[in-house]
Amino acid sequence: MASDRADTQHVGEAVTALARELDRFNRFEGQDRAALRRNEWRAALDHPLPARGQGLEAVTALLRDVVVPNGLRNGAPGFAGWVTTSPTTSAVVASLAATVAGSQRWWVQSFNFLETVGLRWLQELLGLPDDLQGTFCSGGSTANIIALGAARQHAFERAGVDVARDGIPAGQWRVYASTEVHHVVTRAAAILGLGRRSVRGIATDDALRIDVDALRRALDEDAARGIQPIAVVATAGTVNTGAIDPIAELLEIARQRNIWLHVDGAYGAFGVLDDRVAPLFKGMEEADSVAVDPHKWLAAPVGTGAVFVRDRARLGRAFTLEPAEYLEGAAAEGEPRSPFDGFGDPYHDFNLDQSAPSRGAAVWAVLLEIGAEGMRDRVTRHLDFARRVAERARADDRLEVLSEPVLSICCFRYRAPGRDDAALNDLNARLAQRLRAETPYVPSTTMVHGRFAIRPCFVNPRTTLAEVDGMVDAVRRIGDALS
Ligand SMILES: Cc1ncc(COP(=O)(O)O)c(C=O)c1O
């Protein structure tokens, strides 16, 4: 017994011991050296399992001196590499509070209610109708699994089969999505028993949006062969370039054929807040399901996804846990007198987890802190940044825009006279490596129509125009040196 040394009383003190280092980390001073220093910090951390615990102080000391200083700096202002960033302060403290005081999302307690409020605020912010059933989940991957799970339920119920109860009957099914769809959608089809190959990749137009005529042809062709449609997936903000599929047209096709329309807005749904691109989201509000990731543009802690599904009862049939005798609260009737007497909102019946953290707290906290206006301001600023990169690239004969910004991504490259695409691909790959190793600017890269692109994606609340211009200057400078 005496060897169980777990402290249970001093969270505040332990956080205070780390506070200075956490704030220092968040200033992102100097160059990121974690990779270069890896031998040092691995040696400090890579010990055999201790037979006897070393106590809380040993934990906080290592966190302060070794772990935090060598952490992930994707919140640094020059980081524009991913669609996730590190959380802002209110999101951090709300998650900490949820870990301490709301360690499960169920029951009649305040954190369960913050799930409900957080979802409602997101719905309102994004202009989604309030009759959709929302649920938080771990991210875009699970949001797409849940949405396609509901779509699968819908498709088979049309044929009189409760697929969640009875399994998938013999036959062939298809999910339709553009070739630019995120690969988590393909994995969702695999997990749902439809198979990766059930996702039919539809060609895109020059702007990398799904080709609607090609989709119609594919649907007709498959219908003639007796292949059943499960869902059409519209991506509202592709991960490569931020392209937005023509949602309204896809909605019309889906409605005509009674097919589920799912919008993967994991990255881009927040773009609807900017009037310049809001019309491109038309139809999202009528979709059958919408995936949204608060851990992307909203800068909630990673592990915070959300999905909204039109039909609560159907989502319930797809994902219910079904009653269990040990699950107290499941069968309570009337006014609860203790938290044990009710589940609060039963989110465990709408997604993949039974036990799950209270993710709504961070979403609620960010939106309470900055409001709808603050979020609109962030999105607008980031769209401006992408347009700034494009403007600078157009004005410079050594730079070339490879994808016109729609949301907050601008793909571009360095070009040198007399080099073909293969040579430029090689040059830009080396350029990107040097950029990330030698400067504070960290965009990612991708291929656009076979051309290697430098791909800044602005979702980081800490980024300013100085980093945007600094990155373009650095690309130009390194490109000149390499060519
Ligand atoms: C459009 C889109 N869908 C889904 C995902 C997957 O999200 P997650 O990484 O949260 O699982 C991403 C991630 O970038 C994305 O951009």
Side-chain angles (χ1 to χ4, degrees), residues 82-84 138-144 180-185 187 235-240 264-268 291 293 295-296 302-305 455:
W82 299 337
V83 200
T84 52
S138 62
S141 294
T142 38
N144 279 294
E180 288 289 298
V181 74
H182 200 283
H183 45 205
V184 298
V185 168
R187 182 173 62 185
T235 305
T238 61
V239 69
N240 279 324
D264 180 7
Y267 154 43
D293 258 3
H295 70 200
K296 294 188 164 69
V302 162
T304 316
R455 172 196 166 277

Side-chain angles (χ1 to χ4, degrees), residues 146-410:
I146 294 165
L148 291 181
R152 187 184 70 159
Q153 192 70 19
H154 167 255
F156 286 101
E157 283 182 358
R158 269 184 336 194
V161 175
D162 179 347
V163 66
R165 194 190 57 198
D166 298 327
I168 300 182
Q172 268 190 293
W173 303 275
R174 282 266 196 280
V175 172
Y176 300 85
S178 93
T179 49
E180 288 289 298
V181 74
H182 200 283
H183 45 205
V184 298
V185 168
T186 322
R187 182 173 62 185
I191 292 165
L192 289 164
L194 303 167
R196 292 175 198 278
R197 284 160 64 188
S198 72
V199 180
R200 182 160 177 179
I202 307 295
T204 53
D205 62 15
D206 284 350
L208 297 168
R209 295 169 303 207
I210 194 167
D211 175 339
V212 177
D213 290 332
L215 171 65
R216 279 202 191 89
R217 284 196 299 276
L219 285 164
D220 289 343
E221 219 174 86
D222 286 348
R225 292 166 58 203
I227 299 174
Q228 298 296 319
I230 298 280
V232 171
V233 178
T235 305
T238 61
V239 69
N240 279 324
T241 65
I244 301 174
D245 285 334
I247 304 172
E249 285 177 76
L250 297 180
L251 181 71
E252 199 185 314
I253 293 173
R255 288 289 170 267
Q256 279 163 357
R257 299 172 189 240
N258 191 17
I259 307 174
W260 188 276
L261 178 70
H262 169 55
V263 176
D264 180 7
Y267 154 43
F270 291 102
V272 74
L273 296 174
D274 187 312
D275 289 343
R276 288 171 292 186
V277 292
L280 301 178
F281 290 88
K282 190 158 172 26
M284 181 169 81
E285 72 290 350
E286 285 188 56
D288 297 295
S289 53
V290 181
V292 183
D293 258 3
H295 70 200
K296 294 188 164 69
W297 231 331
L298 199 70
V302 162
T304 316
V307 59
F308 296 91
V309 175
R310 183 153 300 282
D311 186 333
R312 177 184 170 100
R314 181 172 287 117
L315 183 62
R317 287 196 293 283
F319 288 102
T320 183
L321 272 177
E322 301 194 300
E325 284 179 353
Y326 82 97
L327 283 176
E328 297 204 47
E333 280 173 14
E335 288 291 305
R337 295 176 55 212
S338 90
F340 244 88
D341 294 340
F343 268 129
D345 279 316
Y347 293 109
H348 54 278
D349 273 335
F350 298 126
N351 66 26
L352 301 175
D353 301 314
Q354 176 179 267
S355 296
S358 298
R359 300 179 172 102
V363 170
W364 163 84
V366 173
L367 291 175
L368 181 67
E369 182 192 14
I370 68 172
E373 285 306 320
M375 196 51 203
R376 177 169 290 116
D377 179 65
R378 181 181 302 173
V379 168
T380 303
R381 190 166 78 242
H382 289 153
L383 262 65
D384 286 346
F385 289 167
R387 281 148 186 75
R388 170 78 168 190
V389 173
E391 204 178 283
R392 293 267 328 259
R394 271 195 297 269
D396 188 326
D397 61 359
R398 287 300 174 95
L399 301 177
E400 181 183 7
V401 177
L402 295 180
S403 74
E404 283 297 334
V406 178
L407 294 172
S408 62
I409 295 174
C410 177

